[in-house]
Amino acid sequence: MKGEDMKTLRLSLLIAFTLVFAVFSCGDDSSDNGGTGTGTGTGSGTGTGTSTTAGIVVDHTCTSLSSIPSSWITTVKNSIKLHYAHTSHGEQLTGGLTRIEEHNSTYNVEIGDMFLPAVANALCIFNGQKDETYITPDLFWQTHEGMERTRDVLKSNPTINVCMWCWCTQLDDWGQEQVQEYLDSMSALEREFPKVKFVYFTGNAQQQDYAGYNRNNNNNQIRRFCSNNKKNLFDFEDLDCWWFNPATNAWEQATYNYNGNTVPYQHPHFDGDENGHTTWESCEQKGNAVWWLLAKLAGW
């Protein structure tokens, strides 16, 4: 190969590598409150947000709204229809999304309780199931009746293309077999609705002692499954335990020791009960992560 041809080949490989890295990187290393005007410092780093073919993992490093190109925010609002079911802890996401919109109307969201809104230039969310907004496991995936309720929403709303359910505190005392039932049920729904992108969740990190240790083990089981099977994951536990400190311009993780094991738990900065058993700042951090998740699912 001639010298000029070799240089061209090397340049092409370098460009290709750079593009691949850009796709698989979750963000940059700067702190950012997402342009919401809250001054909360929900920074971003080089997380694990990836292309949809590899499965997307969204965690505390995926919380910088201003890192998402505005064109992809528009794409999310125009193309994503979300079915989201949860109990009280899950209100952290919807509350965070609402607060973000209050600070910046670019992130317009329309949440319909038990129905799918049809509002232009807005992220439209079907909240709950058809007859209830407080959705425990048995009302979504744990029982035949719950699975039928979920199927009914998806069949009756064929434009829904993303579906997810959020834990409460079940993982504090559940065993591996029950967690596997969740993973099996979600996988079954994925097979039945191939045009819908399902998102798995880890559980919240408020409990310590044995309950927190057990919860973390269960969360790791979910993480391993998602990693091994290229599933999309919203890492709620990770978002709970990391706080970006604007004074030090660095992330801080809260952990404790249980019988020689280091276990993450909700950062004390998020202790409060302003919404969904936490602070508004924690809610906004999770709301930022939802925009990251949906932008990645949309193809960013």
Side-chain angles (χ1 to χ4, degrees), residues 27-232:
D28 56 32
D29 292 319
S30 62
S31 79
D32 188 322
N33 66 6
T36 62
T38 63
T40 55
T42 51
S44 73
T46 53
T48 52
T50 67
S51 68
T52 55
T53 56
I56 296 163
V57 179
V58 169
D59 56 20
H60 74 280
T61 66
C62 307
T63 54
S64 171
L65 282 186
S66 63
S67 295
I68 307 173
S70 59
S71 60
W72 283 106
I73 296 298
T74 300
T75 298
V76 168
K77 292 187 290 186
N78 290 337
S79 66
I80 296 293
K81 306 299 179 187
L82 174 63
H83 176 210
Y84 176 47
H86 58 89
T87 56
S88 54
H89 277 84
E91 292 175 5
Q92 295 178 28
L93 277 65
T94 51
L97 288 169
T98 301
R99 290 269 290 193
I100 292 166
E101 179 191 15
E102 291 173 357
H103 299 308
N104 189 335
S105 60
T106 298
Y107 305 99
N108 187 21
V109 60
E110 193 70 25
I111 301 171
D113 288 345
M114 299 175 287
F115 74 98
L116 181 65
V119 177
N121 194 38
L123 168 59
C124 293
I125 301 175
F126 188 118
N127 185 45
Q129 302 283 43
K130 279 190 173 182
D131 58 351
E132 180 63 69
T133 59
Y134 190 91
I135 308 302
T136 49
D138 59 299
L139 298 179
F140 191 90
W141 61 265
Q142 193 179 32
T143 64
H144 175 73
E145 179 189 2
M147 292 280 278
E148 287 295 290
R149 287 170 181 249
T150 303
R151 293 180 180 114
D152 188 24
V153 170
L154 298 178
K155 290 178 180 178
S156 302
N157 298 273
T159 59
I160 289 176
N161 49 16
V162 177
C163 181
M164 57 194 199
W165 174 84
C166 180
W167 296 95
C168 190
T169 59
Q170 294 87 359
L171 295 179
D172 293 349
D173 53 23
W174 276 16
Q176 293 182 0
E177 296 81 6
Q178 290 165 298
V179 175
Q180 189 60 49
E181 289 177 9
Y182 159 70
L183 300 174
D184 292 342
S185 293
M186 290 290 286
S187 295
L189 289 170
E190 284 182 301
R191 291 190 295 270
E192 291 179 38
F193 299 91
K195 295 183 179 180
V196 179
K197 296 174 182 177
F198 287 81
V199 180
Y200 295 68
F201 271 61
T202 56
N204 67 82
Q206 287 186 312
Q207 293 299 318
Q208 298 186 44
D209 301 321
Y210 174 76
Y213 171 72
N214 187 65
R215 170 257 305 158
N216 184 235
N217 285 339
N218 287 331
N219 284 338
N220 285 334
Q221 180 181 349
I222 294 170
R223 291 186 181 105
R224 287 192 299 271
F225 177 85
C226 290
S227 176
N228 292 339
N229 296 280
K230 300 181 179 180
K231 306 296 187 181
N232 303 311

